[in-house]
Amino acid sequence: MEDEILGHYVNIASLVRAVSFREGKLLEQAVERLAKVNPDLVVLMQSIKLPLVKAAIEAVAGNDWQHLEGVRLDCDAPAKGSYTPDLILVNRAKRAAFVLDLKRSLASYGDTSRLEELKLRMLASAMILPDWLYKTQKRLMVETVGVAIIDGASRPSDHAAGVWALSEIDDLLEIDGAANCMAELRLRFGRRVQQLLEAEARRALGIPDAATPSLTSAAANSTSSRRLGILRAIPRVMVCEDPACCDEHPSGCRCGDDDPFDDGRDDAEAEDDAAASWPPQHIRVGFARRLLDT
């Protein structure tokens, strides 16, 4: 649309405004796809609205978070609005869940209260997450809930305050090489954005498009041969093709299992057993912690 202030630069401004939104969606989709490498992870990301229960908001706002560890609230209690996380990751093997909010950069938050308000909403929603998952996600049970704000710019992290750098995402997903893949993805996205910006700038200034240098075969081979590392879950589950050889494998071997990743939640008897043991006596909720250290 025409703009009296921006004039013929309006297309450049429109493109710049779109970059932030598109990069945020790109990061969400990348994490969702990378998480599939770890068979223990369940990813929830489609129009999730977690109720902000009044009691949870008051508890988080009026107490140190360390004093609230173990408190679990009913998701059907009276609420004041809702919070929509970018992603919820559930590790079924460890019964741990993570509420993630991905930001292309936290620089815009600065020293304002916006970041603290975001943490308050995330922590309040985390207090009802175990009950919400059990009631809405086919009795999916967790005993630990962590919240993490992912800074796409990978500035120095502050785990005690719930801020993680994108370069540390290997520890959250428990997948080797995930951070390298995310870094390469952002690099390629940045190159394409800059190409589009240059084209729009030339068009606005009336400068002919520069000739695009052809990619030499040597450069193509170099690009295709760049190694980003091998994606693998930590720890891996071993499944043998020949069950007869399982004596040679460690205790993690799942030889002979019909489906090594079947948690039995679709089985009626399994659901009855799960219902009988739920809720657990203690739910740990707080800022995300390194699973590798727990």
Side-chain angles (χ1 to χ4, degrees):
M1 298 177 62
E2 294 183 1
D3 189 293
E4 294 180 357
I5 303 300
L6 296 175
H8 55 277
Y9 295 105
V10 65
N11 288 343
I12 299 177
S14 176
L15 181 58
V16 171
R17 286 193 293 265
V19 167
S20 298
F21 174 78
R22 294 299 178 187
E23 184 180 358
K25 292 298 181 182
L26 183 71
L27 294 178
E28 293 176 22
Q29 293 173 10
V31 172
E32 188 267 340
R33 294 196 181 188
L34 287 173
K36 293 180 179 179
V37 177
N38 188 340
D40 291 329
L41 291 182
V42 176
V43 183
L44 306 176
M45 62 179 298
Q46 295 297 332
S47 301
I48 302 170
K49 288 188 177 182
L50 300 177
L52 293 175
V53 173
K54 293 180 181 179
I57 296 176
E58 294 172 357
V60 174
N63 298 276
D64 290 333
W65 179 249
Q66 292 80 358
H67 299 159
L68 299 176
E69 185 170 326
V71 178
R72 169 180 170 268
L73 299 178
D74 188 348
C75 68
D76 295 325
K80 299 173 60 176
S82 62
Y83 165 66
T84 301
D86 292 330
L87 292 167
I88 295 178
L89 296 180
V90 180
N91 189 311
R92 292 180 296 183
K94 298 187 176 181
R95 292 196 173 186
F98 295 98
V99 180
L100 302 185
D101 203 299
L102 284 82
K103 303 295 183 185
R104 66 180 300 269
S105 175
L106 290 179
S108 61
Y109 283 79
D111 297 327
T112 65
S113 61
R114 292 172 55 207
L115 189 59
E116 293 304 318
E117 292 174 357
L118 173 61
K119 293 178 185 177
L120 185 147
R121 293 197 302 271
M122 295 179 72
L123 290 171
S125 64
M127 295 182 71
I128 60 92
L129 185 64
D131 189 55
W132 184 86
L133 288 172
Y134 184 74
K135 290 179 178 178
T136 66
Q137 302 297 317
K138 298 181 180 180
R139 298 186 179 183
L140 185 59
M141 292 181 284
V142 297
E143 298 176 0
T144 302
V145 181
V147 301
I149 301 171
I150 309 298
D151 183 6
S154 290
R155 289 179 173 81
S157 59
D158 184 1
H159 295 170
V163 177
W164 287 63
L166 186 63
S167 58
E168 300 173 318
I169 202 169
D170 288 76
D171 291 338
L172 281 179
L173 300 182
E174 293 193 297
I175 298 173
D176 280 333
N180 289 339
C181 284
M182 297 292 286
E184 177 68 15
L185 180 67
R186 293 186 75 245
L187 179 62
R188 297 184 184 185
F189 179 73
R191 288 173 182 168
R192 182 58 178 154
V193 166
Q194 293 171 36
Q195 291 174 1
L196 293 174
L197 285 172
E198 181 177 354
E200 288 294 345
R202 288 180 174 275
R203 187 176 297 109
L205 296 172
I207 301 176
D209 291 341
T212 303
S214 60
L215 187 65
T216 63
S217 59
N221 292 335
S222 174
T223 301
S224 62
S225 62
R226 183 187 293 116
R227 298 188 61 184
L228 302 179
I230 300 175
L231 287 175
R232 63 180 181 84
I234 315 171
R236 291 178 291 180
V237 176
M238 182 180 299
V239 181
C240 306
E241 296 180 0
D242 183 8
C245 68
C246 64
D247 292 337
E248 303 175 2
H249 293 159
S251 58
C253 179
R254 301 291 296 272
C255 299
D257 289 358
D258 293 334
D259 185 355
F261 306 128
D262 183 10
D263 61 359
R265 285 187 295 144
D266 293 332
D267 180 69
E269 294 183 0
E271 290 187 354
D272 291 340
D273 293 340
S277 61
W278 185 257
Q281 296 298 317
H282 185 81
I283 295 286
R284 191 176 73 181
V285 180
F287 290 121
R289 309 176 186 183
R290 294 178 181 271
L291 287 178
L292 298 181
D293 296 337
T294 59

